[in-house]
């Protein structure tokens, strides 16, 4: 399996859970960091579009509160780095945004499975 901060056991559970989803709709991951679990989702769902949303600038100042464990800028992995890492997977679409505030979509947008992996309380 791809390198992920989730660790093998949690990543295995995520992939197993993603196998029990409706046949229509996108797979969405919010908070992709270095794309580890995003790539695993893409590899296990080759016929589906897997959308990865992140600021690609590290933990956003906009969601930071003084009691947060992670500081602004932590987990920085640039959009270009993520594009390069996800390049071999044609079913991955990266969206640079602060979800849900700057994430745009059409009315027919439906999500079959979402992995929300953000570390600030307000982002969750």
């Amino acid at each position: 399996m791809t390198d992920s901060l989730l660790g093998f056991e949690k990543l295995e559970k995520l992939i197993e859970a993603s196998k029990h989803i409706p046949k229509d709709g996108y797979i969405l991951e919010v908070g992709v960091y270095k794309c580890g679990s995003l790539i695993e989702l893409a590899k296990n769902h080759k016929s589906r579009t897997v959308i990865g949303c992140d600021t690609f600038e590290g933990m956003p100042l906009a969601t930071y509160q003084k009691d947060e464990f992670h500081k602004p800028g932590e987990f920085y992995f640039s959009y270009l780095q993520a594009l390069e890492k996800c390049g071999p997977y044609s079913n991955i679409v990266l969206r640079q945004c602060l979800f849900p505030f700057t994430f745009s979509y059409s009315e027919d947008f439906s999500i079959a499975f979402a992995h929300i992996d953000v570390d600030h309380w307000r982002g969750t």
Side-chain angles (χ1 to χ4, degrees):
M1 288 190 162
T2 304
D3 182 35
S4 170
L5 291 181
L6 290 180
F8 180 78
E9 188 175 305
K10 288 181 183 176
L11 187 57
E12 194 173 60
K13 287 180 182 181
L14 175 72
I15 297 307
E16 182 58 33
S18 76
K19 293 178 180 177
H20 306 282
I21 61 177
K23 65 179 182 116
D24 296 321
Y26 297 101
I27 294 175
L28 177 71
E29 180 169 272
V30 181
V32 303
Y33 186 40
K34 292 188 176 180
C35 308
S37 54
L38 183 71
I39 288 171
E40 285 302 318
L41 287 167
K43 285 171 29 178
N44 282 273
H45 297 280
K46 292 178 177 148
S47 65
R48 298 184 87 134
T49 300
V50 180
I51 302 170
C53 299
D54 204 299
T55 64
F56 299 103
E57 296 175 355
M59 300 302 293
L61 181 59
T63 62
Y64 179 72
Q65 294 181 1
K66 65 180 178 177
D67 60 339
E68 299 283 1
F69 182 78
H70 296 291
K71 304 297 180 226
E74 195 172 337
F75 297 118
Y76 175 85
F77 194 70
S78 77
Y79 182 72
L80 291 176
Q81 288 172 297
L83 276 176
E84 183 177 318
K85 191 164 185 181
C86 294
Y89 307 94
S90 61
N91 59 328
I92 292 179
V93 174
L94 295 176
R95 301 284 297 274
Q96 187 169 13
C97 62
L98 181 57
F99 190 90
F101 308 108
T102 59
F103 179 78
S104 62
Y105 54 91
S106 63
E107 286 186 27
D108 63 340
F109 182 80
S110 67
I111 299 169
F113 184 80
H115 176 221
I116 310 299
D117 188 10
V118 296
D119 293 295
H120 282 173
W121 181 86
R122 288 186 65 206
T124 303

